[in-house]
Amino acid sequence: MTSKTTSLIELPTDLDCTQLPQHIAVIMDGNGRWAKQRGFPRMMGHKRGADTLRDLLRCCKDWGISALTVYAFSTENWGRSMEEVDFLMTLFENLFQLELAEMVSEGVKLEVVGNLDNLTPSLCSAIDRARVATRHNQGVRFTVAINYGGRQEIVRACQILATQVQQGIVKSTDIDEQMLSKYLHTADLPDPDLLIRTSGEMRISNFLLWQLAYAEIYVTDTLWPDFDRLAFHQALLNYQHRHRRFGKA
């Protein structure tokens, strides 16, 4: 979240409040390139990217977006340098601790999804405290994907259902899309209406593979640290010109 001195900014007049996506997913890409272009270490890009995320979350609140899900750290990101991984984990921990009071006051409901077993105990504790403190909030539902992989999520759901079949709890013939969806990390969220990917990359990188089946996809060359409210405004304008048919004529 941004500073408490930030005033509420009303929805731009060229956006139709009845045509806004209610759940937005974001692949926050380009932190490293942003830093490299300026001669900064990669960590500076991640720090600036965290500031961008704070403002986007506040913007979602101001403009009436119900849910925001962001890809913070993938299962593949463990392949980065240990220095960068350690910095990111510390950054996540600090954000959950330092922003908690404001998330509570702003009504944000925080959830963290992914395989959290490999995270540090201190980060897991910070996540647990933030979850508990915000669980009754009714504002923006803010979901952060850490150590997350879409394929792994689907495999996990299938394993749970396979165990239930073995135990006779369910029949294999009863398994359908609705049942499988109940065992995904995002079971209590509607599927995203819009996926935003920054930095111009044309792929979804193992993010919400099941949930994005009918999401509109918006790709911008803007690097994540530069993705400000104007860039978000343009993404929403683009979305409002889409005709969502969900496979129908």
Side-chain angles (χ1 to χ4, degrees):
M1 300 293 287
T2 54
S3 168
K4 292 182 180 180
T5 60
T6 301
S7 60
L8 184 145
I9 300 176
E10 294 183 353
L11 185 71
T13 56
D14 56 354
L15 290 177
D16 181 352
C17 65
T18 67
Q19 298 297 321
L20 291 174
Q22 286 307 296
H23 183 185
I24 296 176
V26 182
I27 299 176
M28 307 178 293
D29 197 15
N31 290 340
R33 274 166 283 179
W34 182 91
K36 183 178 180 180
Q37 287 175 3
R38 290 157 178 79
F40 298 149
R42 287 178 61 86
M43 286 62 169
M44 186 64 70
H46 293 309
K47 187 175 180 180
R48 178 63 179 267
D51 295 336
T52 299
L53 178 57
R54 289 188 190 97
D55 194 52
L56 179 61
L57 181 56
R58 169 58 71 92
C59 194
C60 287
K61 174 183 178 294
D62 290 348
W63 292 359
I65 306 297
S66 300
L68 174 67
T69 298
V70 298
Y71 206 9
F73 191 88
S74 73
T75 52
E76 292 78 19
N77 287 156
W78 292 106
R80 298 186 178 186
S81 71
M82 186 57 63
E83 180 185 15
E84 184 172 355
V85 170
D86 288 345
F87 178 87
L88 285 168
M89 294 302 158
T90 301
L91 180 64
F92 298 151
E93 184 176 340
N94 289 339
L95 286 173
F96 291 135
Q97 292 176 339
L98 298 176
E99 303 297 328
L100 179 56
E102 190 166 355
M103 284 193 289
V104 171
S105 66
E106 295 285 352
V108 173
K109 182 175 182 179
L110 175 73
E111 184 54 80
V112 179
V113 298
N115 181 2
L116 307 187
D117 294 340
N118 295 334
L119 306 185
T120 63
S122 59
L123 176 53
C124 288
S125 295
I127 290 171
D128 288 341
R129 286 193 296 271
R131 280 171 163 169
V132 171
T134 65
R135 61 184 174 183
H136 297 304
N137 287 353
Q138 301 296 313
V140 178
R141 301 186 65 180
F142 179 40
T143 304
V144 182
I146 300 178
N147 196 23
Y148 171 89
R151 289 181 174 179
Q152 292 87 341
E153 178 185 28
I154 294 170
V155 168
R156 172 182 169 274
C158 290
Q159 290 172 335
I160 293 172
L161 286 171
T163 299
Q164 292 187 353
V165 170
Q166 288 179 335
Q167 295 174 346
I169 298 173
V170 300
K171 297 179 181 179
S172 61
T173 52
D174 292 335
I175 298 174
D176 56 15
E177 292 181 13
Q178 183 177 9
M179 183 180 291
L180 192 147
S181 294
K182 292 179 180 178
Y183 295 98
L184 298 178
H185 293 306
T186 57
D188 61 342
L189 279 172
D191 289 341
D193 301 300
L194 172 65
L195 169 68
I196 297 172
R197 177 157 193 162
T198 57
S199 85
E201 302 293 348
M202 298 290 188
R203 55 181 179 271
I204 58 175
S205 299
N206 201 21
F207 183 46
L208 301 178
L209 297 181
W210 180 279
Q211 298 89 332
L212 291 175
Y214 279 101
E216 297 296 319
I217 299 177
Y218 177 82
V219 176
T220 174
D221 290 332
T222 301
L223 302 178
W224 175 248
D226 292 327
F227 190 80
D228 55 14
R229 287 187 178 226
L230 179 59
F232 187 42
H233 181 188
Q234 292 303 312
L236 296 179
L237 276 177
N238 182 279
Y239 173 83
Q240 291 195 342
H241 288 92
R242 307 285 183 94
H243 298 285
R244 305 187 73 198
R245 294 184 293 274
F246 299 97
K248 301 175 183 177

